[in-house]
Structures are given as C-alpha cells and as structure tokens.
Amino acid sequence: MGVMKNHLVGDLIVGCLCLFLILCCMADDHYYDFYVTEKNITNPCASKNFALVVERVPGQTIHVHRGDTAFINVHNNGTYGITIHWHGVKQPRNPWSDGPAYVTQCPIKPGKNFTYEVLFSEEEGTLWWHAHSGWSRATVHGAIAVLPHKDTPFPFDPQPYKEHVIVLGEWFSGNMTEFFDTEEKRHTRTSLSDAYTINGLFNCTADEGYRLVVESGRTYLLRIVGASMDHEMFFAVADHNLTVVGQDGSYVKPITTTYIMITPGQTFDILLTADQLPSCYYMAVGPYNDGGNHAQRNSSIATAILQYKSTSCPPIIPFPNQLPKVADTVSAKNFTDQIKSRDSVNLPEKPDDKIFIAVAVSHQLICGKVHASLNNISFVHPKIDILQAYHRSLPNIYETDFPHQPASTTLNFTGDDSLKFEFPILGTKILMIEYNRSVEIVFQGTNLGAENHPMHLHGYSFYVVATGDGNFNETEYKNNLNLIDPPYLNTVGVPRNGWVAIRFVANNPGVWFMHCHLERHAMWGMDTAFIVTNGITENQSIREPPNGLPECSSSYNTTTSNFDADENTELEDATPLEKWSGIISSWNVICFTLLITVFSFIYVFIR
Ligand code: C2O
Ligand code: CU
C-alpha cells in the first residue's frame, strides 16, 4: 500500500514537472510578411524622392519570446535585388536564413519572395533586422524584441511599465540604392549623411521629430538600436539617468549612466524612470568619431522629445548637456569599460585556436581606389553565395587561405609599419574553423584609417575578454584578461590604434560573415567569412537548404567550373559598359592628366 502511494506521488510530481516544462518553455512560431517597396519618404525638415522601405522607416518590430521561431516572408516589390539579415540572431545550424548577399544567399529578385526561418535560441533582449545588400540598410531596418520565456519576468527591477523602440539612424538625401552600384563607385570616398535620426525623424524645431510620452513615476524599457551607417553615436536624455540592463541580446550588470555610446550594429536595453519635474525634455543623438578626421564628418545632432503626460511643450526643453562631444574618447571608453555580463561564465584559461587580425583602411593613392582590409586581404564578394558553393562543393568561388595572422605579429601596427597594409590583396578569402574548437581572435587596429572599427560576427555572440591601447602585448593581455564576466556581444569596437580580444566556441556549423559595421569600410573590403565545419551527428551539422532559395543571376557550369552567362539583373553587378565608363571616369582622367602634366614639366625643366 505504502509503495503504491509513493509511486502515485512520484508520478504526480513527474507529471506536474512535465506540464510545467511544456507550459513554460514551449516555443511559439510567428509569421510575418515584409513587403519591400520603393517610396517617397519625408521628414519634417527634408523630403526624399526615393527610398527602399518595408512600409516605413524604421520598419515594424518583430516580437518573440526566447527560443521561438519567426517565419518572415520577404516580398520584393522593388526594382533591385535585396536580402535581409537578422542581426544578432544565432540561427543554430541554419545559415540559409542569415541573409548577407553573396555570402549565404543571392539577392531576392524583384517580383520574387523568400521566407526566412529565423531561429531564436539563447538571445534575450533587443536585436534588429536590416537589409544586407548594398547600402539599402539605411532605410530597410527595424527592431527585434526578444522577451523572456512566457510568464517569466525580466531579470531586473523594477519591471518596466511599457517598452519603446528607439532606432538611431542616419539620413541621406540621395538614392542609397543607386549610390554605390558599380565596383568603381564602391571604392571611392563616400559622401556624408545629411543628418542623424531618432526613429527615422530629425527635427528643425522643437515641435517636430519623434516624441515619447511618459507617465510621471513610471519606468520604461527603451530598446535602443544602433542603425547608423557610418558613425558611432552618443545618446542621452536631458536631466534623466539611463540604467543599462542589456546589450546585444544578453543581460549585463546594471549600469547607471547619463549617456551611452553605441556603435552601428549594437543594441541596448535601457531602463528610464520618469522621475523629474513633469515637463518636456530633449533626447539627443550625436556622432562619436575618434579618427582625428571628425571635422570632415557629419557632426550634427538630432533630437527628439520626452514628454510627460498632460504637460505641453514648451515651456521647458533643456538640452542634454551631458551628451559628449564628437571626439570625446575618454567618455566613450568610460562607458564601454563598465559593461560586464550579468552572470559569471568562467571561461577556460586558454583557447584552442588563436587568430590575429590586423584591421586597416588604405587611403586613396594617386589614381587608386580606397580599400579596407583584414590581414591585408580586401574582400571581394563572389557571384554565387559562399554557402551554396560550400554546400555543392563548387570550385573557384572562394579560397580558404585567409591568413591566421598578418605577415608578422610584432610589427608596429599603430606606427610606421601600418604602411605595410597600404596595398592589400583582393580576393574572396575565408577561414575554416573546425567544429567545437574554442577560438580567440585578437583584432589589432592600425594607423591606417585609424578609428574605431565595430567588428560584427554573424551566427555567434562572443566574449570580449581583453582590450588595450597601442600594439597587442602579452603582458597587458594577461593583466586585463576577464574570464569571469566579460561582455557577451555580437559587435565590438576595435579601439583606434588599439586591440581587442574576443572568444567563442565554434559550435554553430555554417558560413558566417564577419565584417566592420561601418558601411563604407564593409564596402571597401573589411570583411571575411568563417566556415565552421560540421560535427559528427546530424544535430551538429548544417541543416538541409530550404525550398525557394533565391537563384543567382550567374549560372555556374559544373563541368567547366565557370560562369555561363552574367545576366546582370542585380544591382551588385555593373554592365561591362558601366565598368569601362567607370574606369575612364572623371577621377582617373583628372589624375592621369595631372601626372602627365607634372612629368612633362619635369622633363622640360631637366632639358
Ligand atoms: Cu548588422 Cu553583417 O550585419
Ligand atoms: Cu571599420
């Protein structure tokens, strides 16, 4: 009898536990349709004739719980090829839905559609989505809100009363899609944006722009997205403190601050309590650039308004004086250095593999083009995506000899030796990583194009274990090493003339892009990709390709390993005529004429 009872109790407990697990941890599927169209968009201060958008700028926010799946059917109703990337979503075993053009897929052609299966796993917090073909992400982007498991509170207090998305972007009055459509244009200096934006808007007077209405005494969760194209940003709200609780879809030890610094690609979860005199307050965003050339960059500031309910604006709109100035590296560093993961991770002392990557931008030489490089390799996008080439074993699409370190690791990178990176090799060179290896990458900034480079890795988050000024050095590395609670990010700023070390375990097989998230640098070639090989079991291997993957324009002949025809239906490819007219373009003509004139003068003079 007693035994029976024990059995019953036991079964009951097991049953309850199962029910609890099912209820609490059941993952949901979500379905979205994104229609990419071209339309005229306007701002209170400026109208724009043409932009590629998903409805509006920013586009809609995707809402999921931890571990859910989102099926997003992207319909291309525009006239250019497009892809969309789910920035910071690891997509376990599913690089097919990651999105970077010519890395994991070819663009979705006009009139076609493709359903991305976006797999959430350990992410929790704010992430975002954006176009990943050409410069279209300037207007094609939006936030992703990943809530904790159903019926689970946020792991911080107070629980927010409401949440709001704040996307920090950049406004270009030109047509971004056509701006950089030929190889020739892609390697010239880019023009500046016209303004910075908060939720797509910027203001000429206090009445315009984005307005966030709050109730006095309440706490709000702000989901902040760094969607700017080419600038790191400072953000502040006048007279209010910000409490940072998460970054890049992972929780951090709460930090109370009066401003944040956010690089393109990064996201923050921030608590703001409406605890000031009911009134109107400015929120402001301005650039951070420590490259010394900030005078040449867009140094304007955009504002929005935080308005307490049932007050009207004005009377008081104080400007956030705590917003650091454009070249304020001390403030940028003071903020970044405070960030630590909420939970302890205790990483192993030594990684399996070490990779050292020197990051450089070579300046425009006489008659030359601008190139950016990683270990002296300037990345060239192939005509067929690397993932497909890898899956089908197509030769001649990419090479696997991306160097594990530059010619030497003891160069004076931040000094004269940086000139060794002035003439990078062009190629589609990628790096093979064996499944489950623990990898450490040291990114070393150089004196070429010295400024912060926000390096972003697809398919993973990584621990930022150490950082330092100047050339990498072992002693400084050992002294600074944080293996306990390092920040867990997907985008990290490599400091100007400094270095940063990151760690991850290669447990997500696939083809994963890695690049600088300053769009001009990515365009100039500061990119590479990792192929993480399959493990032994099916659960450790890349999934089978989904149906309906976009076709590539170039058809690849498997017998000759060559391209049959190049239809050039995509924006990415220039026609031969365009290419030649590009080469004989104004800059080259002026440059050659100047050179010939100079040499003629020298010749006449010597004679
Ligand atoms: Cu935010 Cu390669 O992307
Ligand atoms: Cu860069």
Side-chain angles (χ1 to χ4, degrees):
M1 186 70 189
V3 177
M4 268 275 279
K5 210 172 172 184
N6 271 351
H7 262 294
L8 258 173
V9 173
D11 286 354
L12 215 71
I13 291 174
V14 170
C16 285
L17 219 81
C18 284
L19 198 71
F20 172 77
L21 278 177
I22 289 170
L23 284 181
C24 119
C25 307
M26 208 168 47
D28 278 340
D29 290 345
H30 305 261
Y31 297 87
Y32 289 88
D33 279 287
F34 276 16
Y35 297 93
V36 182
T37 53
E38 283 149 20
K39 66 174 178 195
N40 295 346
I41 54 172
T42 51
N43 237 316
C45 311
S47 68
K48 178 165 173 163
N49 291 329
F50 173 94
L52 214 53
V53 292
V54 177
E55 208 136 332
R56 55 182 181 272
V57 188
Q60 81 178 99
T61 302
I62 292 176
H63 291 272
V64 296
H65 286 275
R66 183 186 176 113
D68 287 354
T69 300
F71 294 88
I72 299 151
N73 193 346
V74 176
H75 306 260
N76 186 355
N77 293 346
T79 50
Y80 302 97
I82 197 159
T83 72
I84 294 191
H85 167 55
W86 320 94
H87 181 119
V89 185
K90 297 176 187 79
Q91 305 266 30
R93 304 171 44 225
N94 189 26
W96 302 105
S97 282
D98 191 44
Y102 302 106
V103 178
T104 62
Q105 69 167 103
C106 284
I108 306 167
K109 288 184 186 149
K112 301 269 193 251
N113 69 303
F114 174 60
T115 301
Y116 290 88
E117 182 176 350
V118 184
L119 303 178
F120 292 87
S121 50
E122 55 167 18
E123 305 85 0
E124 208 173 301
T126 305
L127 296 168
W128 64 305
W129 56 268
H130 62 78
H132 213 305
S133 42
W135 276 56
S136 36
R137 84 168 172 86
T139 47
V140 179
H141 59 244
I144 302 177
V146 188
L147 293 158
H149 282 305
K150 255 194 218 137
D151 305 318
T152 310
F154 289 104
F156 47 74
D157 278 311
Q159 295 295 302
Y161 171 60
K162 273 188 181 155
E163 52 175 82
H164 293 280
V165 164
I166 296 196
V167 176
L168 308 175
E170 252 178 298
W171 173 273
F172 294 79
S173 50
N175 173 346
M176 294 311 289
T177 320
E178 266 177 3
F179 226 27
F180 304 101
D181 59 348
T182 64
E183 186 60 23
E184 192 63 24
K185 280 192 216 160
R186 265 184 246 151
H187 289 280
T188 51
R189 291 235 168 257
T190 57
S191 56
L192 300 177
S193 57
D194 302 288
Y196 299 104
T197 55
I198 297 179
N199 281 345
L201 300 171
F202 58 102
N203 58 320
C204 323
T205 73
D207 284 344
E208 294 152 347
Y210 171 68
R211 191 171 291 227
L212 173 59
V213 179
V214 292
E215 286 176 37
S216 194
R218 302 278 196 189
T219 297
Y220 295 82
L221 173 62
L222 305 184
R223 298 186 178 276
I224 309 226
V225 175
S228 53
M229 296 298 277
D230 263 336
H231 292 88
E232 297 178 296
M233 310 277 231
F234 287 116
F235 172 79
V237 181
D239 296 356
H240 288 74
N241 278 337
L242 306 171
T243 304
V244 180
V245 291
Q247 184 179 4
D248 285 13
S250 177
Y251 294 113
V252 304
K253 295 194 171 77
I255 299 163
T256 303
T257 175
T258 53
Y259 66 90
I260 62 161
M261 194 284 279
I262 180 167
T263 78
Q266 288 180 339
T267 46
F268 281 101
D269 297 277
I270 286 180
L271 295 179
L272 177 138
T273 302
D275 56 3
Q276 297 299 306
L277 204 67
S279 180
C280 296
Y281 299 86
Y282 268 134
M283 303 183 233
V285 65
Y288 162 53
N289 183 300
D290 68 346
N293 62 346
H294 42 267
Q296 300 158 30
R297 315 236 50 105
N298 180 355
S299 300
S300 65
I301 283 166
T303 56
I305 292 169
L306 180 80
Q307 178 178 7
Y308 281 59
K309 209 171 170 180
S310 44
T311 49
S312 60
C313 318
I316 317 170
I317 304 184
F319 189 77
N321 289 322
Q322 76 271 33
L323 189 78
K325 299 276 174 305
V326 61
D328 190 349
T329 299
V330 174
S331 291
K333 209 170 142 27
N334 278 349
F335 171 68
T336 310
D337 285 353
Q338 292 178 60
I339 295 164
K340 305 269 181 285
S341 277
R342 189 195 54 167
D343 303 322
S344 295
V345 286
N346 299 319
L347 299 177
E349 201 61 40
K350 288 216 158 53
D352 299 329
D353 297 326
K354 286 192 175 207
I355 299 166
F356 190 100
I357 299 183
V359 177
V361 179
S362 43
H363 300 276
Q364 193 152 20
L365 295 166
I366 302 171
C367 303
K369 297 171 171 182
V370 190
H371 282 108
S373 63
L374 297 175
N375 274 352
N376 225 10
I377 312 290
S378 187
F379 186 80
V380 177
H381 280 82
K383 291 213 151 107
I384 284 189
D385 57 280
I386 298 174
L387 177 58
Q388 189 183 156
Y390 173 58
H391 181 74
R392 293 167 56 197
S393 307
L394 308 178
N396 302 336
I397 308 290
Y398 63 88
E399 295 164 303
T400 55
D401 58 348
F402 181 90
H404 283 228
Q405 56 177 66
S408 158
T409 50
T410 54
L411 297 174
N412 183 7
F413 296 98
T414 55
D416 293 347
D417 285 341
S418 65
L419 288 177
K420 299 213 162 80
F421 300 95
E422 188 68 81
F423 300 99
I425 296 163
L426 310 188
T428 311
K429 293 185 187 292
I430 58 107
L431 214 131
M432 300 292 291
I433 297 178
E434 237 176 85
Y435 182 78
N436 237 1
R437 301 284 286 181
S438 67
V439 180
E440 180 172 279
I441 304 176
V442 172
F443 290 106
Q444 171 70 60
T446 66
N447 209 12
L448 272 192
E451 66 176 295
N452 273 16
H453 297 282
M455 295 304 300
H456 169 50
L457 174 60
H458 290 217
Y460 289 88
S461 282
F462 46 73
Y463 292 104
V464 181
V465 293
T467 179
D469 290 332
N471 295 314
F472 175 81
N473 100 44
E474 276 296 335
T475 326
E476 197 183 1
Y477 167 81
K478 283 199 182 116
N479 290 341
N480 292 355
L481 201 60
N482 177 1
L483 301 176
I484 308 294
D485 57 359
Y488 192 50
L489 311 181
N490 62 53
T491 307
V492 67
V494 179
R496 172 189 189 202
N497 277 337
W499 55 271
V500 64
I502 65 165
R503 293 253 192 113
F504 61 95
V505 175
N507 55 11
N508 189 11
V511 174
W512 305 110
F513 203 31
M514 191 184 73
H515 60 95
C516 177
H517 221 289
L518 298 182
E519 206 58 37
R520 63 186 193 286
H521 291 179
M523 170 180 75
W524 292 335
M526 195 175 277
D527 333 80
T528 185
F530 294 155
I531 293 186
V532 175
T533 59
N534 287 339
I536 299 157
T537 66
E538 201 192 318
N539 261 339
Q540 301 171 337
S541 305
I542 300 182
R543 300 191 346 174
E544 281 306 303
N547 291 330
L549 267 177
E551 274 170 34
C552 301
S553 307
S554 311
S555 34
Y556 186 87
N557 186 326
T558 33
T559 34
T560 63
S561 312
N562 261 318
F563 295 100
D564 285 341
D566 197 348
E567 298 159 32
N568 285 309
T569 50
E570 273 132 32
L571 163 73
E572 305 294 322
D573 303 319
T575 62
L577 188 71
E578 273 173 333
K579 264 188 190 149
W580 279 106
S581 64
I583 290 165
I584 318 167
S585 70
S586 46
W587 168 243
N588 289 281
V589 171
I590 295 167
C591 179
F592 277 120
T593 322
L594 264 176
L595 269 188
I596 287 168
T597 323
V598 168
F599 280 124
S600 320
F601 266 116
I602 294 172
Y603 179 72
V604 170
F605 191 73
I606 288 170
R607 283 194 62 187

